[in-house]
């Protein structure tokens, strides 16, 4: 009984130590993040990298701006009017992140943590006519803002911390093993805890890969958004039509030249019989 009684506390201590080790490992993994925004030639774009076990597991490049409505008192101090704060994600932001086989997360904080952005990515498998296919997507966005912060908000009523969340979000859908790229602007609506207020998140110059990165600090093959593909087609279509028109003109001139040369070498037979005596 004594041996069994001593063994049970030892097992419990071992479990506690394992849990602490697992928790510390998660914390250390979250701390393996880098803000490489200084490498971007676009002053509005940020670059974030999350690394675990010495390898890159999440890369994100994007420019983000949040349009936040808030109430202020009118000049009569009776009515409320709605103003708008434009809050851009700035360089030098604090970054946290974590990676998993089917779920990854990126968190960004700036202006002394007055603003915080959380982006949750999930990878899923779907059965199709071609068999199972895996995709990843942005499944949740959360934006926390402090309307008492004086740089962007001016005398906001009910100033303080507010949280804006996405609702049933499925954005940036990309085949597994590829990165998502989109230069065009994309908007995501977020419902705010500030009553009857909707925050708009505007993303642009996006290049993100939260799963299956093969090479360190290198994105996998790009999956372009439909808007970029249309714009690329609109840019290349005039060039293609110009090349086709030029080819048609060249072929037409070549046919005309050959036809003219062949007809010039033919003997002209006089239609007037009186001209026959001059032949020969």
């Amino acid at each position: 009984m004594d041996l069994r009684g001593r063994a049970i506390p030892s097992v419990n201590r071992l479990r506690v130590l394992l849990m602490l080790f697992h928790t510390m490992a998660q914390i250390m993994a979250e701390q393996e993040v880098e803000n490489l925004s200084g490498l971007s030639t676009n002053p509005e774009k940020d670059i974030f990298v999350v690394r675990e076990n010495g390898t890159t597991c999440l890369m994100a490049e994007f420019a983000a701006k949040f349009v936040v409505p808030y109430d202020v008192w009118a000049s009569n101090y009776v009515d409320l009017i709605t103003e708008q704060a434009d809050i851009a994600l700035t360089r030098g932001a604090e970054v946290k992140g974590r990676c998993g086989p089917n779920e990854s997360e990126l968190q960004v904080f700036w202006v002394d943590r007055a603003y915080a952005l959380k982006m949750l990515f999930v990878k899923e498998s779907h059965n199709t006519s071609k068999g199972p296919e895996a995709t990843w997507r942005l499944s949740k966005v959360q934006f926390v803002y402090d309307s008492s912060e004086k740089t962007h908000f001016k005398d906001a009523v009910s100033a303080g911390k507010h949280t804006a969340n996405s609702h049933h979000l499925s954005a940036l859908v990309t085949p597994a093993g590829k990165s998502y790229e989109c230069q065009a602007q994309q908007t995501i609506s977020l419902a705010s805890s500030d009553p009857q207020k909707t925050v708009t998140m505007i993303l642009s110059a996006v290049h993100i890969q939260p799963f299956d990165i093969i090479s360190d600090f290198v994105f996998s093959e790009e999956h372009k958004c439909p808007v970029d593909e249309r714009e690329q087609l609109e840019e290349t279509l005039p060039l293609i039509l110009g090349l086709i028109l030029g080819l048609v003109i060249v072929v037409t001139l070549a046919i005309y030249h050959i036809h003219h040369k062949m007809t010039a070498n033919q003997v002209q037979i006089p239609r007037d019989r009186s001209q026959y005596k001059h032949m020969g």
Side-chain angles (χ1 to χ4, degrees):
M1 292 293 293
D2 289 341
L3 290 174
R4 186 177 298 177
R6 292 176 183 175
I8 291 174
S10 298
V11 171
N12 289 335
R13 283 197 295 270
L14 180 60
R15 287 177 179 172
V16 171
L17 287 172
L18 288 173
M19 290 176 64
L20 287 172
F21 178 78
H22 180 68
T23 304
M24 288 299 296
Q26 285 187 322
I27 293 172
M28 289 179 66
E30 287 183 348
Q31 291 177 344
E32 291 184 48
V33 293
E34 295 184 60
N35 186 337
L36 304 178
S37 303
L39 300 177
S40 174
T41 56
N42 183 349
E44 297 180 352
K45 186 168 72 171
D46 292 273
I47 304 174
F48 306 112
V49 176
V50 181
R51 308 182 81 234
E52 286 188 357
N53 300 322
T55 59
T56 304
C57 60
L58 186 154
M59 288 181 65
E61 298 182 12
F62 59 89
K65 184 176 74 171
F66 299 86
V67 181
V68 182
Y70 66 100
D71 291 333
V72 298
W73 290 113
S75 57
N76 58 12
Y77 292 98
V78 175
D79 300 320
L80 291 174
I81 59 175
T82 301
E83 296 288 349
Q84 178 178 293
D86 294 336
I87 303 166
L89 176 58
T90 57
R91 290 191 171 185
E94 180 186 348
V95 192
K96 292 176 65 177
R98 62 179 179 86
C99 297
N102 298 309
E103 188 174 290
S104 295
E105 185 178 275
L106 179 68
Q107 296 184 61
V108 186
F109 310 88
W110 66 104
V111 190
D112 296 325
R113 292 200 167 216
Y115 308 109
L117 169 65
K118 180 192 290 185
M119 304 173 75
L120 182 67
F121 305 91
V122 295
K123 186 166 69 170
E124 303 165 320
S125 183
H126 307 276
N127 290 321
T128 66
S129 57
K130 300 178 181 178
E133 290 185 358
T135 59
W136 65 263
R137 62 186 173 89
L138 175 62
S139 64
K140 183 179 180 180
V141 171
Q142 183 182 82
F143 177 58
V144 179
Y145 60 96
D146 188 351
S147 58
S148 64
E149 194 269 319
K150 300 300 183 182
T151 306
H152 298 90
F153 295 91
K154 307 297 181 185
D155 301 321
V157 176
S158 66
K161 289 272 188 178
H162 297 284
T163 301
N165 288 298
S166 59
H167 184 65
H168 297 307
L169 182 62
S170 182
L172 319 186
V173 180
T174 303
K178 292 187 177 183
S179 62
Y180 177 88
E181 185 176 33
C182 192
Q183 296 301 313
Q185 283 193 353
Q186 302 170 83
T187 60
I188 298 174
S189 296
L190 310 174
S192 176
S193 58
D194 192 0
Q196 299 181 338
K197 297 294 187 293
T198 299
V199 175
T200 302
M201 178 184 182
I202 303 174
L203 287 173
S204 60
V206 176
H207 199 176
I208 294 177
Q209 186 173 359
F211 303 101
D212 306 316
I213 295 178
I214 299 174
S215 302
D216 219 17
F217 297 105
V218 179
F219 285 108
S220 299
E221 179 187 353
E222 299 88 359
H223 172 75
K224 292 187 178 293
C225 62
V227 178
D228 277 9
E229 288 182 344
R230 284 197 299 269
E231 289 182 353
Q232 186 176 8
L233 180 61
E234 290 172 358
E235 290 175 358
T236 56
L237 190 58
L239 178 61
I240 294 172
L241 292 176
L243 290 173
I244 293 173
L245 180 61
L247 183 61
V248 169
I249 293 173
V250 170
V251 171
T252 303
L253 290 174
I255 293 173
Y256 173 79
H257 178 72
I258 293 171
H259 176 73
H260 180 71
K261 190 174 182 180
M262 290 176 64
T263 53
N265 292 333
Q266 291 180 353
V267 178
Q268 299 294 324
I269 300 176
R271 294 181 181 179
D272 189 353
R273 292 177 177 271
S274 62
Q275 295 183 12
Y276 283 119
K277 61 182 180 181
H278 299 294
M279 298 177 64

